[in-house]
Short mmCIF file of all heavy atoms in Angstrom, two decimals:
data_model
loop_
_atom_site.label_atom_id
_atom_site.label_comp_id
_atom_site.label_asym_id
_atom_site.label_seq_id
_atom_site.Cartn_x
_atom_site.Cartn_y
_atom_site.Cartn_z
N ARG D 17 34.19 153.70 39.48
CA ARG D 17 34.48 152.67 38.38
C ARG D 17 33.28 152.18 37.58
O ARG D 17 33.54 151.33 36.71
CB ARG D 17 35.21 151.52 39.14
CG ARG D 17 36.48 151.95 39.81
CD ARG D 17 37.38 150.72 40.10
NE ARG D 17 36.76 149.68 40.86
CZ ARG D 17 36.87 149.70 42.28
NH1 ARG D 17 37.45 150.71 42.87
NH2 ARG D 17 36.22 148.71 43.09
N VAL D 18 32.19 152.65 38.06
CA VAL D 18 30.88 152.13 37.36
C VAL D 18 30.78 152.98 36.05
O VAL D 18 30.74 154.18 36.06
CB VAL D 18 29.66 152.35 38.17
CG1 VAL D 18 28.38 152.06 37.54
CG2 VAL D 18 29.71 151.60 39.50
N PRO D 19 30.69 152.25 34.94
CA PRO D 19 30.61 152.96 33.59
C PRO D 19 29.32 153.82 33.51
O PRO D 19 29.44 154.92 33.04
CB PRO D 19 30.52 151.73 32.65
CG PRO D 19 31.15 150.70 33.24
CD PRO D 19 30.79 150.80 34.75
N PHE D 20 28.23 153.46 33.95
CA PHE D 20 26.97 154.15 33.92
C PHE D 20 26.15 153.94 35.25
O PHE D 20 25.78 152.80 35.50
CB PHE D 20 26.11 153.77 32.70
CG PHE D 20 26.76 154.08 31.45
CD1 PHE D 20 27.39 153.03 30.72
CD2 PHE D 20 26.63 155.36 30.79
CE1 PHE D 20 27.91 153.27 29.52
CE2 PHE D 20 27.24 155.60 29.66
CZ PHE D 20 27.95 154.57 28.98
N LEU D 21 25.92 155.02 35.93
CA LEU D 21 25.18 155.07 37.24
C LEU D 21 24.10 156.07 37.07
O LEU D 21 24.34 157.27 37.07
CB LEU D 21 26.09 155.35 38.44
CG LEU D 21 25.34 155.48 39.78
CD1 LEU D 21 24.67 154.20 40.18
CD2 LEU D 21 26.33 155.97 40.83
N TRP D 22 22.80 155.61 37.22
CA TRP D 22 21.63 156.54 37.17
C TRP D 22 21.31 156.81 38.65
O TRP D 22 21.27 155.94 39.49
CB TRP D 22 20.48 155.80 36.53
CG TRP D 22 20.60 155.62 35.19
CD1 TRP D 22 21.09 154.58 34.54
CD2 TRP D 22 20.26 156.58 34.03
NE1 TRP D 22 21.08 154.62 33.11
CE2 TRP D 22 20.56 155.97 32.85
CE3 TRP D 22 19.67 157.91 34.09
CZ2 TRP D 22 20.36 156.54 31.57
CZ3 TRP D 22 19.44 158.55 32.78
CH2 TRP D 22 19.78 157.81 31.66
N ILE D 23 21.29 158.11 38.91
CA ILE D 23 21.00 158.66 40.32
C ILE D 23 19.68 159.36 40.35
O ILE D 23 19.48 160.30 39.67
CB ILE D 23 22.12 159.66 40.72
CG1 ILE D 23 23.46 158.96 40.55
CG2 ILE D 23 21.96 160.10 42.08
CD1 ILE D 23 24.75 159.87 40.72
N VAL D 24 18.80 158.86 41.14
CA VAL D 24 17.39 159.19 41.07
C VAL D 24 16.81 159.52 42.43
O VAL D 24 16.93 158.85 43.40
CB VAL D 24 16.49 158.09 40.42
CG1 VAL D 24 15.14 158.27 40.52
CG2 VAL D 24 17.05 157.65 39.00
N ASP D 25 16.05 160.76 42.42
CA ASP D 25 15.16 161.14 43.49
C ASP D 25 13.73 161.13 42.87
O ASP D 25 13.51 162.01 42.23
CB ASP D 25 15.52 162.41 44.05
CG ASP D 25 14.85 162.66 45.45
OD1 ASP D 25 13.83 161.93 45.78
OD2 ASP D 25 15.37 163.44 46.19
N PRO D 26 12.94 160.01 43.21
CA PRO D 26 11.61 160.06 42.53
C PRO D 26 10.61 161.26 42.88
O PRO D 26 9.89 161.65 42.16
CB PRO D 26 11.05 158.70 43.07
CG PRO D 26 11.75 158.41 44.35
CD PRO D 26 13.15 159.09 44.16
N ILE D 27 10.75 161.62 44.13
CA ILE D 27 10.17 162.88 44.61
C ILE D 27 11.07 163.60 45.47
O ILE D 27 11.12 163.26 46.73
CB ILE D 27 8.75 162.50 45.39
CG1 ILE D 27 7.76 161.72 44.62
CG2 ILE D 27 8.05 163.93 45.71
CD1 ILE D 27 6.47 161.43 45.24
N ASP D 28 11.61 164.68 44.99
CA ASP D 28 12.41 165.54 45.87
C ASP D 28 11.48 166.70 46.28
O ASP D 28 11.01 167.45 45.54
CB ASP D 28 13.62 166.19 45.17
CG ASP D 28 14.48 167.03 46.02
OD1 ASP D 28 14.87 166.36 47.01
OD2 ASP D 28 14.78 168.21 45.68
N GLY D 29 11.28 166.63 47.63
CA GLY D 29 10.24 167.59 48.13
C GLY D 29 8.95 166.79 48.60
O GLY D 29 7.83 167.23 48.33
N THR D 30 9.17 165.62 49.22
CA THR D 30 8.07 164.76 49.59
C THR D 30 7.16 165.47 50.53
O THR D 30 5.94 165.31 50.53
CB THR D 30 8.53 163.50 50.19
OG1 THR D 30 9.37 162.73 49.30
CG2 THR D 30 7.41 162.63 50.68
N SER D 31 7.61 166.32 51.42
CA SER D 31 6.78 167.07 52.42
C SER D 31 5.88 167.95 51.65
O SER D 31 4.64 168.09 52.02
CB SER D 31 7.63 167.77 53.35
OG SER D 31 8.29 166.93 54.23
N ASN D 32 6.36 168.64 50.58
CA ASN D 32 5.55 169.42 49.82
C ASN D 32 4.36 168.51 49.10
O ASN D 32 3.20 168.95 49.15
CB ASN D 32 6.31 170.06 48.61
CG ASN D 32 7.04 171.32 49.08
OD1 ASN D 32 7.07 171.58 50.29
ND2 ASN D 32 7.80 171.89 48.20
N PHE D 33 4.68 167.43 48.58
CA PHE D 33 3.75 166.60 48.01
C PHE D 33 2.65 166.18 48.95
O PHE D 33 1.50 166.23 48.77
CB PHE D 33 4.43 165.37 47.44
CG PHE D 33 3.49 164.29 46.97
CD1 PHE D 33 2.90 164.39 45.57
CD2 PHE D 33 3.28 163.13 47.66
CE1 PHE D 33 1.99 163.49 45.17
CE2 PHE D 33 2.42 162.18 47.14
CZ PHE D 33 1.79 162.32 45.93
N VAL D 34 3.09 165.75 50.16
CA VAL D 34 2.19 165.28 51.24
C VAL D 34 1.26 166.36 51.57
O VAL D 34 0.02 166.18 51.82
CB VAL D 34 3.00 164.74 52.43
CG1 VAL D 34 2.06 164.54 53.67
CG2 VAL D 34 3.76 163.42 52.05
N HIS D 35 1.69 167.57 51.76
CA HIS D 35 0.94 168.74 52.11
C HIS D 35 0.23 169.43 50.90
O HIS D 35 -0.37 170.54 51.00
CB HIS D 35 1.66 169.64 52.94
CG HIS D 35 2.18 169.19 54.22
ND1 HIS D 35 1.20 169.19 55.40
CD2 HIS D 35 3.25 168.55 54.61
CE1 HIS D 35 1.81 168.60 56.29
NE2 HIS D 35 3.07 168.23 56.05
N GLN D 36 0.40 168.87 49.75
CA GLN D 36 -0.12 169.36 48.47
C GLN D 36 0.28 170.89 48.25
O GLN D 36 -0.58 171.70 47.87
CB GLN D 36 -1.76 169.26 48.51
CG GLN D 36 -2.22 167.85 48.51
CD GLN D 36 -3.65 167.69 48.32
OE1 GLN D 36 -4.48 168.63 48.49
NE2 GLN D 36 -4.03 166.55 47.86
N ILE D 37 1.54 171.10 48.46
CA ILE D 37 2.15 172.42 48.13
C ILE D 37 3.04 172.08 46.84
O ILE D 37 3.86 171.29 46.92
CB ILE D 37 3.02 172.92 49.23
CG1 ILE D 37 2.11 173.04 50.58
CG2 ILE D 37 3.79 174.06 49.02
CD1 ILE D 37 2.86 173.31 51.83
N PRO D 38 2.88 172.99 45.88
CA PRO D 38 3.83 172.89 44.64
C PRO D 38 5.20 172.96 45.04
O PRO D 38 5.54 173.63 45.99
CB PRO D 38 3.32 174.07 43.85
CG PRO D 38 1.92 174.35 44.24
CD PRO D 38 1.88 174.10 45.74
N GLY D 39 6.03 172.34 44.29
CA GLY D 39 7.49 172.41 44.52
C GLY D 39 8.10 171.06 44.77
O GLY D 39 9.20 171.01 45.18
N PHE D 40 7.36 170.01 44.36
CA PHE D 40 8.03 168.68 44.41
C PHE D 40 8.52 168.28 43.03
O PHE D 40 7.78 168.62 42.03
CB PHE D 40 7.08 167.61 44.99
CG PHE D 40 5.66 167.61 44.35
CD1 PHE D 40 5.32 166.90 43.27
CD2 PHE D 40 4.70 168.44 44.99
CE1 PHE D 40 4.13 166.93 42.71
CE2 PHE D 40 3.50 168.55 44.45
CZ PHE D 40 3.15 167.77 43.35
N THR D 41 9.59 167.56 42.96
CA THR D 41 10.22 167.35 41.54
C THR D 41 10.72 165.90 41.39
O THR D 41 10.94 165.16 42.42
CB THR D 41 11.43 168.21 41.39
OG1 THR D 41 12.36 167.95 42.36
CG2 THR D 41 11.05 169.71 41.43
N VAL D 42 10.85 165.57 40.14
CA VAL D 42 11.49 164.31 39.78
C VAL D 42 12.84 164.67 39.32
O VAL D 42 13.07 165.57 38.55
CB VAL D 42 10.80 163.55 38.57
CG1 VAL D 42 11.54 162.29 38.26
CG2 VAL D 42 9.35 163.29 39.02
N SER D 43 13.94 164.04 39.93
CA SER D 43 15.33 164.38 39.59
C SER D 43 16.03 163.14 39.10
O SER D 43 15.98 162.11 39.91
CB SER D 43 15.94 164.97 40.92
OG SER D 43 17.40 165.23 40.62
N ILE D 44 16.65 163.21 37.94
CA ILE D 44 17.28 162.10 37.36
C ILE D 44 18.67 162.61 36.81
O ILE D 44 18.74 163.61 35.96
CB ILE D 44 16.49 161.48 36.24
CG1 ILE D 44 15.14 160.95 36.72
CG2 ILE D 44 17.27 160.28 35.57
CD1 ILE D 44 14.27 160.37 35.60
N ALA D 45 19.67 161.88 37.23
CA ALA D 45 21.00 162.19 36.70
C ALA D 45 21.80 160.89 36.26
O ALA D 45 21.47 159.87 36.69
CB ALA D 45 21.90 162.93 37.77
N LEU D 46 22.78 161.16 35.40
CA LEU D 46 23.59 159.99 34.93
C LEU D 46 25.04 160.37 35.21
O LEU D 46 25.51 161.48 34.76
CB LEU D 46 23.31 159.70 33.40
CG LEU D 46 24.19 158.58 32.77
CD1 LEU D 46 23.89 157.20 33.49
CD2 LEU D 46 23.96 158.53 31.29
N ALA D 47 25.78 159.43 35.81
CA ALA D 47 27.18 159.63 36.01
C ALA D 47 27.98 158.51 35.28
O ALA D 47 27.52 157.40 35.29
CB ALA D 47 27.53 159.53 37.55
N CYS D 48 29.07 158.89 34.70
CA CYS D 48 29.95 157.84 34.11
C CYS D 48 31.35 157.97 34.83
O CYS D 48 31.97 158.96 34.78
CB CYS D 48 30.10 158.25 32.60
SG CYS D 48 28.60 158.24 31.57
N ARG D 49 31.52 156.84 35.48
CA ARG D 49 32.77 156.62 36.23
C ARG D 49 32.97 157.76 37.29
O ARG D 49 34.01 158.33 37.22
CB ARG D 49 34.00 156.43 35.41
CG ARG D 49 33.90 155.14 34.67
CD ARG D 49 35.24 154.80 33.87
NE ARG D 49 35.26 153.34 33.53
CZ ARG D 49 34.57 152.84 32.52
NH1 ARG D 49 34.02 153.69 31.65
NH2 ARG D 49 34.67 151.57 32.25
N GLY D 50 31.90 158.20 37.84
CA GLY D 50 31.89 159.24 38.95
C GLY D 50 31.73 160.75 38.30
O GLY D 50 31.68 161.64 39.09
N GLU D 51 31.72 160.85 37.03
CA GLU D 51 31.48 162.21 36.46
C GLU D 51 30.07 162.40 36.01
O GLU D 51 29.54 161.55 35.19
CB GLU D 51 32.46 162.40 35.33
CG GLU D 51 32.35 163.74 34.64
CD GLU D 51 33.21 163.97 33.44
OE1 GLU D 51 33.78 162.96 32.95
OE2 GLU D 51 33.34 165.03 32.98
N LEU D 52 29.42 163.42 36.52
CA LEU D 52 28.00 163.71 36.04
C LEU D 52 28.03 164.14 34.65
O LEU D 52 28.72 165.05 34.28
CB LEU D 52 27.43 164.77 36.91
CG LEU D 52 27.15 164.28 38.39
CD1 LEU D 52 26.79 165.46 39.32
CD2 LEU D 52 26.14 163.24 38.53
N VAL D 53 27.22 163.46 33.83
CA VAL D 53 27.18 163.88 32.38
C VAL D 53 25.78 164.38 31.95
O VAL D 53 25.63 165.03 30.94
CB VAL D 53 27.56 162.67 31.56
CG1 VAL D 53 29.09 162.28 31.73
CG2 VAL D 53 26.63 161.41 31.63
N LEU D 54 24.68 164.12 32.68
CA LEU D 54 23.44 164.67 32.35
C LEU D 54 22.53 164.75 33.58
O LEU D 54 22.62 164.01 34.55
CB LEU D 54 22.70 164.02 31.18
CG LEU D 54 22.11 162.55 31.45
CD1 LEU D 54 20.73 162.59 32.07
CD2 LEU D 54 22.05 161.86 30.04
N GLY D 55 21.64 165.78 33.53
CA GLY D 55 20.68 165.84 34.54
C GLY D 55 19.31 166.33 34.09
O GLY D 55 19.28 167.19 33.18
N VAL D 56 18.20 165.80 34.57
CA VAL D 56 16.91 166.23 34.25
C VAL D 56 16.07 166.55 35.52
O VAL D 56 16.11 165.56 36.43
CB VAL D 56 16.21 165.06 33.39
CG1 VAL D 56 14.76 165.41 33.21
CG2 VAL D 56 16.94 164.85 32.03
N ILE D 57 15.32 167.52 35.52
CA ILE D 57 14.58 167.89 36.70
C ILE D 57 13.13 168.32 36.24
O ILE D 57 13.04 169.18 35.35
CB ILE D 57 15.13 169.03 37.59
CG1 ILE D 57 16.35 168.58 38.32
CG2 ILE D 57 14.09 169.40 38.67
CD1 ILE D 57 17.09 169.67 39.04
N TYR D 58 12.14 167.61 36.68
CA TYR D 58 10.73 167.85 36.22
C TYR D 58 9.91 168.26 37.37
O TYR D 58 9.93 167.62 38.43
CB TYR D 58 10.12 166.66 35.51
CG TYR D 58 8.73 166.79 35.06
CD1 TYR D 58 8.35 167.90 34.31
CD2 TYR D 58 7.75 165.89 35.49
CE1 TYR D 58 7.12 168.09 33.82
CE2 TYR D 58 6.42 166.03 34.99
CZ TYR D 58 6.08 167.28 34.14
OH TYR D 58 4.77 167.40 33.77
N ASP D 59 9.25 169.44 37.19
CA ASP D 59 8.32 169.92 38.20
C ASP D 59 6.89 169.68 37.65
O ASP D 59 6.37 170.43 36.85
CB ASP D 59 8.64 171.49 38.32
CG ASP D 59 7.62 172.07 39.33
OD1 ASP D 59 6.65 171.50 39.86
OD2 ASP D 59 7.85 173.33 39.62
N PRO D 60 6.21 168.62 38.23
CA PRO D 60 4.87 168.35 37.76
C PRO D 60 3.87 169.36 37.94
O PRO D 60 2.88 169.54 37.28
CB PRO D 60 4.51 167.16 38.57
CG PRO D 60 5.81 166.45 39.01
CD PRO D 60 6.76 167.69 39.22
#
C-alpha cells in the first residue's frame, strides 16, 4: 500500500569489500505499491 518504497543495499557483498576483493555493489530499487519499477546496480 506504500506509494513509493526505496529498497537499498548499500554494500551487497560486504565480505568482498572487507577482504578487498572486487564484486561489491550498491543496489537501489524503487517499488510502487509492491511493484518494482526501477533498479540500479553500481559496481565501484
Side-chain angles (χ1 to χ4, degrees):
R17 301 197 299 271
V18 174
F20 295 98
L21 173 64
W22 293 91
I23 304 169
V24 172
D25 194 339
I27 306 180
D28 187 50
T30 298
S31 291
N32 282 359
F33 174 76
V34 168
H35 292 278
Q36 297 192 338
I37 297 171
F40 48 89
T41 59
V42 180
S43 178
I44 300 173
L46 178 62
C48 296
R49 291 186 167 83
E51 180 182 12
L52 292 169
V53 296
L54 70 82
V56 174
I57 295 171
Y58 179 51
D59 178 355

